[in-house]
Amino acid sequence: MALLVAITAGVYANSFHGPFTFDDADNIVENRALRIDSLSWTALARAASSGPSSHRWLPNLTFALNYALGGDEVWGFHLGNLLVHLGAALLVFTLAWQILARAQGSRSYPRPLAVALVAALLWSCHPLGTNAVTYIVQRMTSMATLFSLASLALWIQGRDRGRAGWPWLTAAGLAWIAALASKENAAMLPVMIWGFELALPRTGYRPLDWRFFLALPLGLALLAGLGLLYTGGDPVSGILAGYELRSFTLVERLLTEARVVWHYLGLLVLPLPSRLTLAYDFPVSHDLLDPPSTLAALLGLLVLVAAMVASWRRWPLVAFALFWLLGNLVIESTVLPLELVFEHRLYLPMVLVAIAASAEASRLLHHRPRLLAGLAILVVVSLGMGTWQRNRVWASEETLWQDVVAKAPRLSRGYINLAKARSQAGQDAEAEALLRKALAQSPDDGNVALNLGIACERQARLEEALAMLQRAGRAKMVDRPQLHSATAIVLRKLGRFAEAQAQARLALSLQPDLLEARLTLAVAAAQLGDHPRAVQLFREAAAQGLDSVDLYNNWAVSLFTLGQVEPSVALLRRAVQLDPRHPESHYNLGIAYSAQGLLAEARQEMTLAMALEAELAQEKGR
């Protein structure tokens, strides 16, 4: 097991500096509830149930602990992900050993310890795992896998002990609850255990009676109950409402997912880094023959299911591996209005594939141990090298989204995120060029127009920004809270403060924790002369975690206007500490110093403000 840990850790050693990206933003970086300052029950409970994934309590809790222990240092989050992956790898080893130990007679496998080790390495070093390990937010997937495997392993231990196994079975139930609290797709585990008991019963067991077969409908009823819980009691309406935000219908998704499953199978067999990407531009199937591969994919799945049933007795491990693979894809690859393709969805399904592949190769080549060992080493090394190479792509936002744009050149998401990376690097012109290229390819994409509007606003082209944001508002699919917030900022800068307030209120009604909208609401109130209300809104934004120059500078102006000079000085000092090159904050600090009679300090701040203003104007002219 030490060898398994060492090799797996080595393969992921270059993943520790990959930045927060994509869904990390909403779930972790901008989720203020995770930034706990104590380990009190109230703080932990709020962190566990906060953010877009509020039902995934355990991963949220571990993200909060990451913040408590190491702040927003990204390596700590990667270390947490790797520890979960290592724990899951050890459970794959344990599970493989348990399954092989059950096999006897014609089903027996030689060298079970070596087979279990190779199976665990095949799984832990597979490049598909990077989307669940290196992608920080997908700790949700890896934790659900960890606890699902623990539950199955504990179930096997309990079943093997007969009537004395109830403590193990109880622990299996608790582990399953932990898996559900990590990600909802763990709900399939009871069905997987039912299939396991049918395919791989231990020799000497009492024949399965009616109570076991009754467990399947009971398990399905439990799944239905969980579905009602997670969808607020009306799953049909919830599912259909989700498709209003998608560019495909429910039927189109079902047809497309048949092709997606075959794509997944291809990645399992041939996971070349050139074939892997964070975001796919996967063509939608509009009917059975558009494209023609849709019908072929559906027929192929029927053949695969038939082969699984036919091989259930002769090759039970292979049959159960197929059952496990397809069953664990059901929730995310059928009717739910999710993205069409994500590689992390294979993290749990490929566990039994790795075990079956290692076991069957061992049985087929057991008379040629050197060839078998050489083949195992070659495959594991190749997978590990692919994972190492894939982790290099995750090294920065720039490299990650360049990879997406190169592999999905028609996908607007890649251009949007690459543009954000360029903008953060101060390359505003390059960022705008990327967004305009995306808009030319997808003129009806509201999110491209939204981000282009934001880019124009940052370059002070306010009328153009407003026109682009209005164009985004006419699109079917767009991030509405961000759209209203961005529009409020532009209107505020245009001096249309009442309209800015209306847009900010709309943004907050859709997303109450959108702090930029709350700041805009406060600044607009100040500009309209309602400084007491503005001060209250500034204070609320700060209490919710906003820490920006705009907050402190505008808050200070309102306090100064109300005659509270001393607290306004403290806020302005914080503003210039955050951004020493912000001319307005230095100028306002000079005015505040002057009101306190500190004329030398006031003169110094005002001189610095004018020098910075000239310097920034010169830089802009270049």
Side-chain angles (χ1 to χ4, degrees):
M1 285 202 264
L3 183 62
L4 171 61
V5 170
I7 293 175
T8 304
V11 163
Y12 279 94
N14 66 336
S15 68
F16 277 56
H17 299 292
F20 292 112
T21 189
F22 203 26
D23 286 343
D24 291 337
D26 292 340
N27 287 279
I28 302 174
V29 179
E30 297 170 7
N31 188 353
R32 303 288 174 179
L34 298 182
R35 299 173 183 267
I36 58 176
D37 51 14
S38 70
L39 296 180
S40 68
W41 170 255
T42 302
L44 291 174
R46 181 167 175 263
S49 58
S50 69
S53 303
S54 57
H55 287 116
R56 300 175 183 180
W57 307 317
L58 286 180
N60 284 336
L61 187 58
T62 65
F63 293 140
L65 293 175
N66 266 123
Y67 271 120
L69 295 173
D72 57 4
E73 291 291 334
V74 75
W75 69 267
F77 288 84
H78 283 295
L79 177 61
N81 280 27
L82 180 58
L83 290 175
V84 173
H85 183 58
L86 290 172
L90 292 172
L91 283 168
V92 173
F93 175 87
T94 302
L95 191 58
W97 168 250
Q98 288 176 317
I99 290 173
L100 297 173
R102 282 176 162 233
Q104 296 182 17
S106 61
R107 297 179 181 176
S108 62
Y109 297 92
R111 303 179 185 87
L113 275 177
V115 171
L117 175 61
V118 170
L121 286 170
L122 290 176
W123 179 81
S124 68
C125 294
H126 201 290
L128 282 172
T130 55
N131 263 39
V133 183
T134 311
Y135 186 10
I136 295 172
V137 74
Q138 288 309 326
R139 185 183 299 177
M140 297 172 180
T141 294
S142 57
M143 286 186 68
T145 297
L146 173 76
F147 289 115
S148 293
L149 296 179
S151 181
L152 179 55
L154 289 165
W155 172 273
I156 294 172
Q157 287 291 327
R159 286 284 281 137
D160 286 354
R161 283 168 171 74
R163 293 183 177 179
W166 66 265
W168 298 85
L169 299 179
T170 302
L174 294 175
W176 179 51
I177 292 172
L180 285 171
S182 299
K183 194 173 181 181
E184 296 83 351
N185 62 335
M188 288 300 296
L189 185 63
V191 179
M192 296 300 102
I193 290 177
W194 187 86
F196 174 83
E197 289 288 353
L198 280 181
L200 300 165
R202 186 176 179 87
T203 301
Y205 270 179
R206 181 180 60 183
L208 297 172
D209 59 19
W210 63 271
R211 288 171 295 184
F212 174 76
F213 291 98
L214 184 61
L216 180 60
L218 289 176
L220 293 175
L222 180 59
L223 290 180
L226 289 169
L228 290 172
L229 174 66
Y230 283 118
T231 58
D234 189 1
V236 175
S237 297
I239 289 171
L240 294 178
Y243 280 97
E244 294 178 4
L245 303 176
R246 294 295 180 191
S247 59
F248 46 81
T249 66
L250 187 153
V251 173
E252 286 174 335
R253 188 178 199 277
L254 284 171
L255 293 172
T256 306
E257 285 301 314
R259 293 167 41 237
V260 170
V261 170
W262 285 104
H263 175 72
Y264 286 156
L265 292 173
L267 292 180
L268 279 173
V269 176
L270 195 63
L272 298 175
S274 60
R275 303 183 67 205
L276 305 179
T277 186
L278 172 59
Y280 282 83
D281 181 19
F282 202 91
V284 174
S285 293
H286 300 292
D287 57 48
L288 288 174
L289 296 176
D290 182 14
S293 56
T294 305
L295 180 58
L298 286 167
L299 293 174
L301 285 180
L302 290 175
V303 170
L304 194 62
V305 171
M308 176 188 72
V309 174
S311 62
W312 203 268
R313 290 193 176 278
R314 188 171 181 184
W315 296 292
L317 180 53
V318 173
F320 179 63
L322 285 173
F323 182 78
W324 178 274
L325 171 69
L326 297 175
N328 278 304
L329 287 173
V330 163
I331 290 180
E332 293 176 307
S333 297
T334 51
V335 299
L336 296 182
L338 306 173
E339 295 281 354
L340 293 174
V341 188
F342 268 129
E343 291 163 9
H344 63 256
R345 292 175 185 166
L346 283 169
Y347 189 74
L348 176 59
M350 67 181 180
V351 168
L352 263 294
V353 175
I355 294 174
S358 178
E360 295 303 327
S362 172
R363 184 157 63 176
L364 288 172
L365 298 175
H366 71 280
H367 294 303
R368 306 185 68 180
R370 291 185 180 179
L371 175 61
L372 181 62
L375 181 63
I377 292 171
L378 176 63
V379 173
V380 169
V381 169
S382 298
L383 292 174
M385 290 175 63
T387 296
W388 181 274
Q389 184 176 342
R390 185 68 190 147
N391 281 331
R392 292 177 63 185
V393 173
W394 286 84
S396 70
E397 287 274 71
E398 178 83 13
T399 55
L400 179 62
W401 293 107
Q402 275 183 336
D403 179 77
V404 172
V405 167
K407 294 171 180 174
R410 296 181 56 193
L411 185 67
S412 60
R413 176 179 294 157
Y415 292 99
I416 290 171
N417 286 282
L418 183 56
K420 287 179 180 178
R422 296 275 171 86
S423 181
Q424 289 170 2
Q427 301 171 4
D428 290 330
E430 292 88 341
E432 184 176 340
L434 285 165
L435 291 169
R436 291 196 181 279
K437 182 176 180 180
L439 191 64
Q441 291 181 338
S442 306
D444 298 326
D445 192 320
N447 285 313
V448 176
L450 167 60
N451 282 274
L452 191 51
I454 293 171
C456 292
E457 177 267 319
R458 286 175 178 167
Q459 298 179 64
R461 304 203 309 270
L462 299 180
E463 294 292 349
E464 186 179 353
L466 185 58
M468 195 58 65
L469 292 171
Q470 289 170 341
R471 176 175 176 172
R474 292 190 292 271
K476 176 183 177 182
M477 293 181 297
V478 67
D479 186 337
R480 293 285 165 184
Q482 286 294 338
L483 173 63
H484 291 304
S485 180
T487 304
I489 291 171
V490 172
L491 290 169
R492 184 194 91 195
K493 291 185 176 181
L494 286 169
R496 295 159 60 175
F497 301 115
E499 294 172 78
Q501 284 184 319
Q503 288 292 322
R505 290 192 184 101
L506 279 173
L508 290 169
S509 69
L510 296 171
Q511 188 175 329
D513 61 349
L514 200 55
L515 298 185
E516 286 300 325
R518 193 168 299 279
L519 175 61
T520 299
L521 198 62
V523 173
Q527 292 294 331
L528 291 170
D530 191 355
H531 290 285
R533 174 61 176 161
V535 167
Q536 179 185 346
L537 290 168
F538 285 129
R539 188 173 288 115
E540 288 175 2
Q544 290 179 23
L546 186 62
D547 186 32
S548 71
V549 173
D550 279 347
L551 168 67
Y552 298 118
N553 180 52
N554 287 287
W555 190 358
V557 170
S558 286
L559 288 174
F560 186 87
T561 304
L562 293 171
Q564 301 178 39
V565 178
E566 188 171 342
S568 74
V569 168
L571 291 172
L572 288 166
R573 284 174 176 167
R574 176 59 180 159
V576 298
Q577 180 186 10
L578 285 175
D579 185 359
R581 300 184 73 234
H582 192 247
E584 188 179 343
S585 295
H586 283 289
Y587 187 82
N588 288 333
L589 184 56
I591 293 175
Y593 278 149
S594 178
Q596 289 183 317
L598 303 172
L599 300 183
E601 289 85 348
R603 189 179 300 110
Q604 180 181 352
E605 290 296 329
M606 290 183 174
T607 302
L608 179 56
M610 288 186 287
L612 287 171
E613 191 73 46
E615 185 180 326
L616 291 172
Q618 186 177 7
E619 289 178 1
K620 186 177 180 180
R622 291 174 188 167

